Amino acid sequence: MSALAVEGLGKAFAGEHAVEDVSLTLERGEFFSLIGPSGCGKTTTLRMLAGLLDPDSGTIRIDGTDVTDRPARNRATNMVFQDLVLFPHMTVAENVAYGLARSGVPKPERQTRVAEALDLVDLGGFGERDPADLSGGQRQRVALARALVNDPEVLLLDEPLASLDRALRGEMQREFRRIQRDSETTFLYVTHDQESAMSMSDRVAVMRAGGIVDRGPPRRLYSRPRTRFVAEFLGDATVLDGEVVGRNGETAVVETQAGRVSATSETANDHSDSVAVAIRPEAVTLGDGDLTGEVVDAAYKGFYEEATVDCGGARLTVRRERSAGGSTVQEASTDGGDPSRDRRFRVGKSVSLRVDRAVLVEDGDG
Amino acid sequence: MATAERRLDRLVASGPALLALALGVFPLLVLFVESLGPGLGPANYAEALSPLYRGALTYSIGVGVAVTAVCLLVAYPVTYWLAHRCPARYRLVGLVALTLPLWLNYVVLNYAWVWILARGGVVNAVLVNAGVLGQPLEVLYTEVSMALGFVYIYLPYVVLTMYVSMERLDQRLMAAARDLGATNLRVFVDVILPRTLPGAAAATLIVYARIAGAFATPEILGSPGNVMVARLVVQAVREYIDYGFAAALSFVFLVAVLASLAVGALFPRVRRELRQW
Ligand SMILES: Nc1ncnc2c1ncn2[C@@H]1O[C@H](COP(=O)(O)OP(=O)(O)OP(=O)(O)O)[C@@H](O)[C@H]1O
Ligand SMILES: [Mg+2]
């Protein structure tokens, strides 16, 4: 039986659909992410699942039981809120114990379980502190412990890492993953950060304008997106329109604005001749290719460089790792005398490109 | 140069300090000396603490506590609704409407209630004519009419003070409590109450002593048989011309008010929430 089964969930605010016909199934012990741009209805969906907001339509089942009409306190879900919202007038231990106290767990057992939960999130001994005296990452863990200690069937997490810096975010992502495995809880993780969703999740659903447009394992979604939106949202693919001019099994040769590209097809696009092709920046190699273009923009991104290349009016993004032991910015600007050694992208320079991988995607809103 | 500047600083700072001293402490000091009488003895205090006056003291404190409690009881749902449920554009209108009585003379406000509650007043006229009542209600000049007047006059202060606290109350904390299994009552006890307690405490500080020491409302709306401290003080000054006794009675009252506030602050829960202030 699935831990969470949602069918046809919908909610409108003042006539505007915030969530429309969302269906989801989460297996027990799964780490499932719901990602989508800001305002697409992620928080609204979670609030309905938690019982904090009444849906207009649809059913919610937890562990097979229909809970659609139950208030939040009678649902086996707990939520880690977008801004944590720890109780500022309670200590860390009191925060974590709150849910247990409400469900009538006697005090001695409460204390042991709170201590265990704090240990699980590496905060053993922090129980007597005030939440205000903790760092952002520690507060994060308290919020997680406060929800997890109740042993929910499904833990709902609403962008809990959005306010942390990059390094801490990475660390917390690994922590979340570890805690999820250790506690064997089903996680429904909401974020607009595709990177964290991809790295943590067993499965991902992509949401857009209130509906789910695609779902699957991160690898599948990334390497074989079905729609233009998913391709662009997950990892900045460039999508070009084109005509199929030849086919070879799974592969189609597509004539695009930029030139000819071979693309793998996965979906029903096959029978139409007008198609869209998604190309990932890292699937483009510089030099000895069929496509030519001019560098119109170049950016230094740390361990790689990124350029935008204009190929017959289509703009392709190209990434190149900086060679190991390669020039730093200062070196590059001083050894500019030897163009063959200068690996930087130069704006205005003509380059040739080869597209190694491309995928046919559905166009439009779907 | 530097010392001249410092001297100027001190001069400037001493102004407010002296003013505070003159307004706050000096009159009290004078009053205290007065209360000791020409013999500088405790005679006035002995009288002020006699059973005759003790009754009025406890009654005043009781009225203060009860009316403050009623004001808070009314202000909680009203300010909650205003800050969290009322559409934003009607909020100011609502707040102004609720605090309108602040802008009128309180003697007039008291007499408004005489007119409303009298035998032939508005309430009775309407209710009797509508057939709801067989005969007019006798509420004027009772504790009920006095309490109504008190609440009417002091509620605006409580509403204004509580509103500030309520507005700062974070809705998401309530959602978090609900998610963790709290019923509506628990949400109130565990989130709303502790988060708004500073507002309630401030409101209490503002109105409680004024209600307990009020003169006009009990005189105009209350029963002649229920004596509050202010009437006794006024009597001592006007009728008996006994300033010393009036001063002693005032001091005893001041101590009683402070003591009752201290008792309130002794509740561990109240203390804890106030410490975050
Ligand atoms: N209480 C509300 N009243 C009216 N409209 C609302 C309410 N809550 C959400 N909305 C609207 O519903 C839509 C979805 O909002 P939601 O908060 O679910 O987005 P989100 O995906 O969580 O975005 P973000 O990533 O920025 O948190 C938005 O257009 C928002 O304006
Ligand atoms: Mg959100």
Side-chain angles (χ1 to χ4, degrees), chain A residues 47 50 52 72-73 77-79 81 83 85-91 94 98-99 102 146-147 150, chain B residues 170 172-184 186-187 190-191 194-195 269 272-273 276:
Chain A
R47 285 173 60 84
L52 297 170
R73 64 173 184 278
T77 53
N78 281 112
M79 190 148 163
F81 289 81
D83 314 282
V85 289
L86 299 176
F87 302 121
H89 52 288
M90 299 183 191
T91 63
E94 284 170 333
Y98 190 78
R102 293 294 72 76
R146 182 176 72 171
N150 306 294
Chain B
D170 190 344
R172 295 168 311 175
L173 289 174
M174 292 182 249
R178 247 177 230 126
D179 180 61
L180 292 165
T183 57
N184 285 339
R186 287 306 320 197
V187 171
D190 295 336
V191 177
R195 301 311 294 159
R269 172 125 200 204
R272 188 168 156 191
E273 306 309 342
Q276 305 178 54

Side-chain angles (χ1 to χ4, degrees), chain B residues 32-222:
Chain B
F32 184 65
V33 172
E34 181 76 51
S35 73
L36 294 176
L40 291 184
N44 284 329
Y45 283 94
E47 197 188 347
L49 285 170
S50 69
L52 185 63
Y53 296 106
R54 237 188 283 152
L57 271 173
T58 43
Y59 183 67
S60 300
I61 297 293
V63 168
V65 170
V67 173
T68 306
V70 171
C71 284
L72 286 171
L73 231 52
V74 175
Y76 256 99
V78 167
T79 53
Y80 179 83
W81 182 84
L82 207 59
H84 295 287
R85 289 274 179 279
C86 174
R89 67 190 128 152
Y90 300 124
R91 227 167 261 164
L92 187 65
V93 180
L95 206 55
V96 170
L98 278 168
T99 51
L100 218 49
L102 282 179
W103 303 355
L104 283 172
N105 178 301
Y106 70 97
V107 176
V108 174
L109 292 177
N110 281 314
Y111 278 111
W113 281 95
V114 172
W115 184 71
I116 293 169
L117 296 175
R119 257 191 91 86
V122 188
V123 169
N124 278 323
V126 170
L127 289 183
V128 169
N129 282 339
V132 180
L133 292 176
Q135 48 180 329
L137 279 174
E138 301 281 357
V139 286
L140 188 58
Y141 308 127
T142 65
E143 283 179 315
V144 175
S145 58
M146 180 174 79
L148 273 173
F150 268 137
V151 170
Y152 179 68
I153 289 167
Y154 290 100
L155 187 61
Y157 298 95
V158 179
V159 163
L160 266 186
T161 319
M162 286 291 311
Y163 179 76
V164 177
S165 249
M166 257 325 161
E167 208 188 15
R168 282 200 222 128
L169 173 66
D170 190 344
Q171 293 253 29
R172 295 168 311 175
L173 289 174
M174 292 182 249
R178 247 177 230 126
D179 180 61
L180 292 165
T183 57
N184 285 339
L185 181 66
R186 287 306 320 197
V187 171
F188 179 75
V189 173
D190 295 336
V191 177
I192 301 181
L193 201 58
R195 301 311 294 159
T196 53
L197 207 56
T204 303
L205 283 179
I206 291 171
V207 301
Y208 165 63
R210 296 179 59 183
I211 294 167
F215 178 64
T217 304
E219 288 303 300
I220 298 170
L221 289 169

